[in-house]
Amino acid sequence: METGTEKNETLRLLQDRRSVRVYEDRPVTDETKRRILSASIRAASAGNMALYTIIDVTDEELKRKLSVTCDDQPFIARAPLVLIYCADYRRWYRTFCGAVSRVRRPSYGDFMLAAEDAVIAAQTAATAADALGLGTCYIGDILEHYEEHRKLLSLPDHVAPIAMLVGGYPTQQQKERRQTPRFALEDLVHENGYDLKKSDRMPDMLRERDGWTDGYEQHVRAFCERKYNSAFSVEMSRSVKAMLDAWVNAEEKR
């Protein structure tokens, strides 16, 4: 049955997408970067407020430091493109304070809305990069070590790093690398409400996606220790709490 995906370049890009961590020794030109960023800021934004700021990391020493603070991943330092998307309510808060006599401080909902804006813009950049022949990888570790990243990036109150996207032109090996499998569409889409029966299929979902037949429990235990119980996961939770505490408790001067 024909779905039309083969004839639609945008859908093809989305279906073929994979994380790319090895890049050709080839720079991303300013014009190409501008095209990616121009597409990124056309992303959906709450109230057209653009509650985010994009930090374009071009300094090689800063890239190196980020490669260490973000879970010791050297490929970050070698990436031609490094973009950090920050939730940013500073611009609007200061604007409101300059025109309105009583203004509440940014709180949890404002953080979440700005974080959504930032992530939507980041994913739009990722798709634009794919369309221009680049490959990208998200670095979730930007959520760790909040205090250090805040200092490294000179972030003021009500600005927080939410998403980090690195990229470049993929090597031939990366182009040919097998895509990681995904869960079945039917398991992730629930109709008109949360389906507990579908959610409780998780053990079967893992077996079907990853082929975990023999040693299923051993696989789950190993994955839990590597991801959920890991030191970086604990640090991420601590760091995000510090990020939220700083956001809602900031005493920024008007």
Side-chain angles (χ1 to χ4, degrees):
M1 177 175 152
E2 185 176 342
T3 63
T5 301
E6 300 83 359
K7 297 181 179 180
N8 187 299
E9 180 64 12
T10 302
L11 289 178
R12 186 194 67 77
L13 285 169
L14 295 171
Q15 291 288 347
D16 290 350
R17 190 259 164 203
R18 69 199 69 196
S19 293
V20 174
R21 297 176 176 84
V22 185
Y23 314 109
E24 294 181 351
D25 185 14
R26 176 182 171 190
V28 175
T29 66
D30 290 343
E31 176 58 26
T32 297
K33 186 187 295 184
R34 186 172 183 81
R35 293 178 71 186
I36 293 169
L37 293 172
S38 293
S40 183
I41 67 171
R42 289 301 310 172
S45 171
N48 195 25
M49 296 173 74
L51 297 170
Y52 60 87
T53 287
I54 308 167
I55 297 178
D56 176 17
V57 181
T58 60
D59 183 82
E60 297 301 324
E61 179 59 18
L62 179 54
K63 285 185 186 180
R64 188 196 65 77
K65 289 178 180 177
L66 288 167
S67 75
V68 174
T69 60
C70 291
D71 202 31
D72 293 310
Q73 300 184 80
F75 80 93
I76 296 172
R78 297 191 291 269
L81 181 72
V82 176
L83 303 174
I84 299 174
Y85 283 75
C86 298
D88 184 353
Y89 229 107
R90 183 178 189 273
R91 289 192 300 262
W92 279 102
Y93 180 59
R94 289 173 64 83
T95 298
F96 292 152
C97 289
V100 182
S101 58
R102 296 184 62 185
V103 181
R104 65 175 179 83
R105 291 205 301 264
S107 192
Y108 299 103
D110 307 302
F111 177 91
M112 285 300 299
L113 204 60
E116 288 180 1
D117 264 19
V119 170
I120 293 168
Q123 181 54 33
T124 304
T127 302
D130 285 343
L132 293 170
L134 282 74
T136 59
C137 180
Y138 279 103
I139 307 297
D141 306 280
I142 195 64
L143 293 174
E144 299 174 48
H145 308 297
Y146 166 67
E147 298 86 351
E148 188 169 358
H149 287 149
R150 183 176 187 180
K151 184 177 180 180
L152 276 176
L153 301 171
S154 303
L155 303 182
D157 288 339
H158 303 130
V159 180
I162 299 298
M164 182 172 173
L165 189 70
V166 305
Y169 292 97
T171 61
Q172 192 62 34
Q173 181 274 336
Q174 289 286 292
K175 292 177 184 177
E176 297 172 355
R177 183 171 54 84
R178 185 177 70 92
Q179 276 186 303
T180 52
R182 296 293 194 246
F183 291 123
L185 186 66
E186 293 74 16
D187 285 320
L188 297 182
V189 179
H190 299 194
E191 187 173 359
N192 297 324
Y194 196 86
D195 189 331
L196 290 173
K197 289 183 179 179
K198 284 193 175 188
S199 180
D200 291 342
R201 283 199 75 250
M202 187 62 176
D204 289 330
M205 289 166 62
L206 284 169
R207 291 185 179 98
E208 292 162 7
R209 187 193 70 177
D210 299 330
W212 289 354
T213 50
D214 297 331
Y216 163 78
E217 290 186 357
Q218 181 180 349
H219 283 298
V220 173
R221 285 195 296 269
F223 190 81
C224 181
E225 292 306 312
R226 182 164 61 90
K227 287 289 186 179
Y228 189 72
N229 282 345
S230 64
F232 85 80
S233 184
V234 172
E235 162 56 23
M236 186 176 292
S237 289
R238 184 212 65 80
S239 179
V240 170
K241 182 180 184 302
M243 189 184 299
L244 283 165
D245 288 345
W247 182 281
V248 300
N249 296 324
E251 295 289 348
E252 184 178 281
K253 295 181 180 179
R254 300 187 180 185

